[in-house]
Every structure is written in structure tokens, then in C-alpha cells.
Amino acid sequence: VPSSQADNSTFICYSRRDAPFVTGLAARLEERGCPLWMDQRNLGPGDDWDRAIDAALAGCASLLIVLSPDAVRSGEVHGELRSALNQKKRIVPVLYRPCEIPRQLLSTQYLDASDTGQMTEALLDDLARALRGEAARGTLWKDARQAWSPLAFLGARLKTIGASTVGGLAVLGVTGLLAEASYARLLQIPFSVSA
């Protein structure tokens, strides 16, 4: 880690499967004056990965963790997060793709880009402020303690495609009743539906 970045840089923690999103995000944050450390940009030929990552984590001011199903399954991401937590670094999560938020981050506010997989200008500006340790807009940040559930995820997806959540849930309810009636008929069990 260059000494000029040792006190205020942000270490980017992510799954390699999310690299296209993360490299674009990094470029847009650097345009906003955020000094970043990212393995794909800062490691060179012959570098010892473990030593370089440990040094970068020790020297950074904050850790930007990009959350996705692949990230929460990654042992490397868990290790980097644990190291940053042990060193009491500021952790700034961005939800890229819907997933269960790691237990260690349940008391941490996060930015949600999962609706579109894109970071809007407002989200980017607020993220840059948060990485610099400045006050961010509270309305853009979400509470990780709100439990993720398949129903909430489905409601968000339906909103994204323009359907109302209520309408989507009604379709799910009717589908469930039809399936239940089919099973009842197949198993020859009496079935009745009341309004």
C-alpha cells in the first residue's frame, strides 16, 4: 500500500464473480476522489497475495464490502471481513445482489443496489461521502437487521418490473390454492376454499 494512501484508503472486499460490477464501481468512486485498494488493480506480477492483502487491510481506513450470494459463500471474503472487524475498521456494505446479510454486519447500515444491479449517481455520491467518513444521507441507507426473506425479495423484484406487490402476492396466493387443490384431488382428500 503506498504510504500516501495508508491513512485514508478503502479496501474493496468482493467475490471475483462480481468483478465487472466492482471494477466499474471502483472507477466511479475514484472519479469522486476516493483512494481505493483493489486486488486486481494493486497486485502485480510476483506479489505475495496474502502479504499484500494483509498489508492493505492493516493500512486502510475502511473496508467496502460488496455483498452478493457469491460473496457471502466466499471464504476469502469472510477472512477479509473478519480481519477488518478485528482491526476495528469502518465497514461500508453495498448490497449488489440479494443475499442473506452476514451476521457480523446485521447492525451496520448498507446501500442497496440490488434492484437494478446499478449504482445511481445519488448512491455513488453518498457512498463516496461514507468512505471519506463524512455524513451521508440516512434515507439512502438500509437497516440490515430487517430480516431478508423470500417474500420480501419477491415483492422487491415485482416492484422492479412494475407489478404491484399486492397483485403479485395475490397471484402467488391463487397459485398456492390451485396447487393445494390439485394435491388434495390427487390424494383424494376433501378440500374446500372459503372466501
Side-chain angles (χ1 to χ4, degrees):
V1 174
S3 59
S4 62
Q5 293 184 1
D7 295 330
N8 65 352
S9 67
T10 295
F11 183 99
I12 303 180
C13 175
Y14 67 103
S15 164
R16 279 296 184 111
R17 292 185 181 203
D18 299 325
F21 170 80
V22 176
T23 54
L25 175 63
R28 294 172 75 189
L29 286 169
E30 285 175 330
E31 290 170 0
R32 287 164 169 77
C34 295
L36 304 173
W37 194 95
M38 183 176 169
D39 58 359
Q40 289 188 26
R41 294 173 167 209
N42 293 82
L43 290 172
D47 286 348
D48 181 298
W49 277 67
D50 287 333
R51 275 195 219 133
I53 287 171
D54 289 344
L57 281 165
C60 72
S62 59
L63 178 125
L64 169 61
I65 183 167
V66 179
L67 297 170
S68 71
D70 293 310
V72 299
R73 284 190 299 265
S74 167
E76 190 65 31
V77 168
H78 278 275
E80 292 169 358
L81 174 60
R82 174 54 43 213
S83 181
L85 288 166
N86 289 344
Q87 296 176 45
K88 305 211 182 317
K89 303 293 183 177
R90 183 174 63 250
I91 311 292
V92 181
V94 169
L95 183 62
Y96 168 47
R97 290 186 286 132
C99 62
E100 193 165 343
I101 306 290
R103 178 187 53 78
Q104 301 91 334
L105 298 177
L106 288 179
S107 62
T108 305
Q109 297 284 95
Y110 67 94
L111 278 179
D112 188 351
S114 66
D115 279 344
T116 62
Q118 300 291 324
M119 291 289 287
T120 65
E121 295 302 313
L123 288 175
L124 280 163
D125 290 342
D126 222 45
L127 179 56
R129 280 192 287 276
L131 294 177
R132 290 190 297 260
E134 301 168 4
R137 290 187 215 136
T139 58
L140 297 177
W141 296 82
K142 295 192 176 182
D143 187 346
R145 291 170 292 190
Q146 295 171 344
W148 179 88
S149 70
L151 199 53
F153 171 73
L154 180 61
R157 298 284 69 78
L158 289 170
K159 278 183 167 179
T160 300
I161 62 172
S164 76
T165 303
V166 174
L169 293 176
V171 169
L172 283 176
V174 169
T175 304
L177 287 173
L178 291 173
E180 192 173 337
S182 295
Y183 287 126
R185 187 169 18 117
L186 180 66
L187 299 173
Q188 298 176 347
I189 299 170
F191 178 78
S192 66
V193 178
S194 63

